[in-house]
Amino acid sequence: MSDTGLRQKAARLRRAYAPHEHRPLGGYLVAMGAYAGVTGALAGLVKATGRPVPERPAPSDVVLLSIATHKLSRLLSKDAVTSPLRAPFTRYDRPIGSGEVMEQVRDSGSPTRHAIGELLSCPFCLAVWVATGLTGGLVLAPRLTRLVATALTAVAASDFLQMAYATAQQAAEGGHQDDD
């Protein structure tokens, strides 16, 4: 099949998939290919270094990496300070509280740029990549990975404590005003 015929077939597929909305299927393919490449490289590195892969991860590691994945995904995808990493692919929209920002994906006509923007601005999407990196780190550099994951977990716990404190403070101030 010629390159033109392949492009026409891909365009028909895009229109049939989402006739009323722009969905960058080609960009998603690039992102999936990159993820497969990163995962393959991690697996190759594990094999080349001869690191043993645990038969079953320890439950404590699963919990630690779950919380660390949550926090790192939010830091990378929503934190105001990490916005320069997302800026080539997103556009600032508004603050959403607790040091986080809402951004819109730039639709510059590049399906790859659009897909990367979606990936970088979505903590749920980014979590797959973060969890893969942390899991690979757990095999290749377990002590360092656990240390970093512990710090991220402590920050996540601190976030919840900060929010609980602010909520309790607002409730106390609200209750105090009723006494007047």
Side-chain angles (χ1 to χ4, degrees):
M1 180 177 276
S2 72
D3 188 43
T4 304
L6 190 58
R7 286 178 194 231
Q8 289 173 346
K9 196 173 206 172
R12 281 194 307 272
L13 177 63
R14 277 194 301 276
R15 284 191 303 273
Y17 175 71
H20 304 294
E21 189 174 333
H22 172 65
R23 303 306 312 151
L25 298 181
Y28 295 154
L29 281 173
V30 169
M32 289 188 320
Y35 179 79
V38 167
T39 303
L42 276 172
L45 193 54
V46 168
K47 186 171 177 85
T49 59
R51 295 284 189 166
V53 176
E55 183 178 323
R56 199 174 290 118
S60 58
D61 283 336
V62 173
V63 170
L64 183 67
L65 265 55
S66 297
I67 297 169
T69 294
H70 163 78
K71 186 59 196 174
L72 187 54
S73 297
R74 292 227 47 107
L75 281 172
L76 292 173
S77 65
K78 295 293 181 187
D79 196 85
V81 174
T82 58
S83 59
L85 301 174
R86 299 182 305 273
F89 309 98
T90 62
R91 184 173 290 107
Y92 174 82
D93 188 13
R94 67 186 186 282
I96 55 174
S98 301
E100 293 188 341
V101 296
M102 178 59 71
E103 295 165 331
Q104 300 302 316
V105 174
R106 288 183 189 223
D107 196 3
S108 65
S110 165
T112 302
R113 184 180 198 176
H114 185 106
I116 292 170
E118 284 189 26
L119 176 66
L120 292 179
S121 62
C122 171
F124 299 96
C125 306
L126 201 53
V128 175
W129 291 72
V130 170
T132 299
L134 288 173
T135 302
L138 196 57
V139 174
L140 293 168
R143 290 175 67 184
L144 178 60
T145 301
R146 284 187 185 101
L147 182 65
V148 169
T150 297
L152 289 165
T153 299
V155 172
S158 174
D159 288 349
F160 283 105
L161 291 171
Q162 296 289 0
M163 287 184 230
Y165 182 87
T167 300
Q169 191 174 29
Q170 287 174 348
E173 289 172 359
H176 180 68
Q177 290 173 355
D178 291 342
D179 292 341
D180 289 341

